[in-house]
Amino acid sequence: MSAPLRGIVAYPITPFTEAGRVDERLLAKLVDDMLAAGVHALAPLGSTGVLPYLSDDEREAVAETVVKRVGGRVPTLVGVSSLTTERTVHHARHAEKLGASAVMIIPMSYWKLTDAEIVAHFDAVARAIAIPIALYNNPATGGLDLGPDTIARLLQIPNVTMVKESTGDVNRMHRLVQLCGEDVAFYNGSNPLALAALVAGARGWCTAAPHVIPRLNIELYDAVTRGDLAGARRLFYRQLPFLQFIVAHGLPRAISAALELMGTRVGPLRAPLQPLARERVEELRTILVDLQVVPGP
């Protein structure tokens, strides 16, 4: 399939041992938990998985752990972004060799890249692999904002078949449909925009929230799919405080803190990231108690 993803695309954290190494055992358990909850795809090495803070060996270990643990039960979308085209190609080839369903690329750069440089970057990766590529637009983390016209140009590259849009502007998605037709495979990457994006035609929602509230995430997607917009609105507003919190305080910090509150010790964050402050943890606890994820006082 040129766009193998649909539904709730779950993004696992990258847990670490107390010694600061990737905790592959715990990562495999987190994958098992999300699969058991019914997510539709797994996407290691995204922002939640602190991709830029990992060495090449660590990235490959995370990709291998997730793809092998999934074992083809659902599609896998592996993040392969790097500053250089050569390293991006390297990680894309590794993901393909592992059996990943697709790879995801966000243009990463110290220098602001021109459109021509971005197109050449994606084209080089596309020529090196045979599996689909998801283009990831998130200027808040990547530092580059790909407008709809640039994205439409990138979608002309045969392997580039999916777009994850994380600007939080649903008008971008409408514009993509205008430029590329209703068959364009776009996915929402902005958690607080989940309802609006799915109603606008997003094929899926890329989120770390299934670590904590997978049932609510899946029920929201199902409600939109069957046309129950009233039910979808209720489900969305039920989870919105949590979605707003994890975005406001950083996905790795917030998801790790939530898992700790739920009884799963995930180890330290990768420096320079630091845990949530105590008062923020208590704010999160209140949200999780309301969601009936952790017991009340």
Side-chain angles (χ1 to χ4, degrees), residues 10-267:
Y11 280 68
I13 63 166
T14 297
F16 297 98
T17 66
E18 293 299 331
R21 297 180 179 178
V22 173
D23 190 336
E24 296 174 27
R25 179 199 59 80
L26 179 54
L27 177 58
K29 179 184 181 302
L30 295 173
V31 168
D32 286 343
D33 289 345
M34 288 192 282
L35 287 173
V39 300
H40 304 104
L42 265 292
L45 299 172
S47 301
T48 307
V50 294
L51 169 68
Y53 298 163
L54 302 178
S55 69
D56 282 359
D57 287 345
E58 289 173 329
R59 290 169 58 148
E60 292 179 2
V62 168
E64 183 171 356
T65 297
V66 174
V67 173
K68 287 189 174 181
R69 196 69 174 192
V70 170
R73 287 175 283 176
V74 299
T76 48
L77 174 68
V78 176
V80 298
S81 310
S82 292
L83 277 172
T84 67
T85 301
E86 183 273 331
R87 284 290 89 186
T88 307
V89 167
H90 169 85
H91 290 297
R93 284 174 168 160
H94 179 259
E96 181 178 38
K97 183 178 179 179
L98 288 174
S101 307
V103 299
M104 183 177 69
I105 301 172
I106 182 172
M108 299 171 62
S109 182
Y110 179 88
W111 298 107
K112 182 175 174 59
L113 299 178
T114 67
D115 281 358
E117 289 168 332
I118 293 169
V119 171
H121 179 67
F122 275 86
D123 187 60
V125 181
R127 291 174 182 275
I129 60 174
I131 58 176
I133 296 170
L135 183 162
Y136 179 22
N137 185 40
N138 190 348
T141 56
L144 295 167
D145 189 2
L146 306 182
D149 292 326
T150 302
I151 292 174
R153 184 177 171 189
L154 289 167
L155 287 170
Q156 294 175 10
I157 299 171
N159 292 44
V160 182
T161 60
M162 298 172 283
V163 179
K164 178 186 172 186
E165 175 57 62
S166 296
T167 58
D169 180 2
V170 73
N171 292 317
R172 298 286 190 101
M173 301 180 187
H174 294 311
R175 181 61 179 152
L176 275 177
V177 172
Q178 286 181 313
L179 289 170
C180 303
E182 292 191 2
D183 290 336
V184 62
F186 70 85
Y187 303 81
N188 174 54
S190 175
N191 284 292
L193 199 67
L195 175 60
L198 290 171
V199 171
R203 296 197 185 191
W205 173 18
C206 301
T207 177
H211 278 292
V212 182
I213 51 170
R215 179 181 58 80
L216 281 173
N217 303 148
I218 294 167
E219 287 179 352
L220 171 58
Y221 173 76
D222 288 344
V224 174
T225 300
R226 65 175 180 266
D228 178 12
L229 297 186
R233 283 193 294 271
R234 287 193 298 271
L235 288 161
F236 175 67
Y237 285 111
R238 177 88 174 108
Q239 58 194 289
L240 182 58
F242 176 72
L243 302 178
Q244 291 170 325
F245 183 94
I246 64 176
V247 170
H249 300 293
L251 295 170
R253 300 185 197 94
I255 296 297
S256 294
L259 286 169
E260 295 271 354
L261 288 170
M262 294 166 65
T264 298
R265 174 62 181 158
V266 298

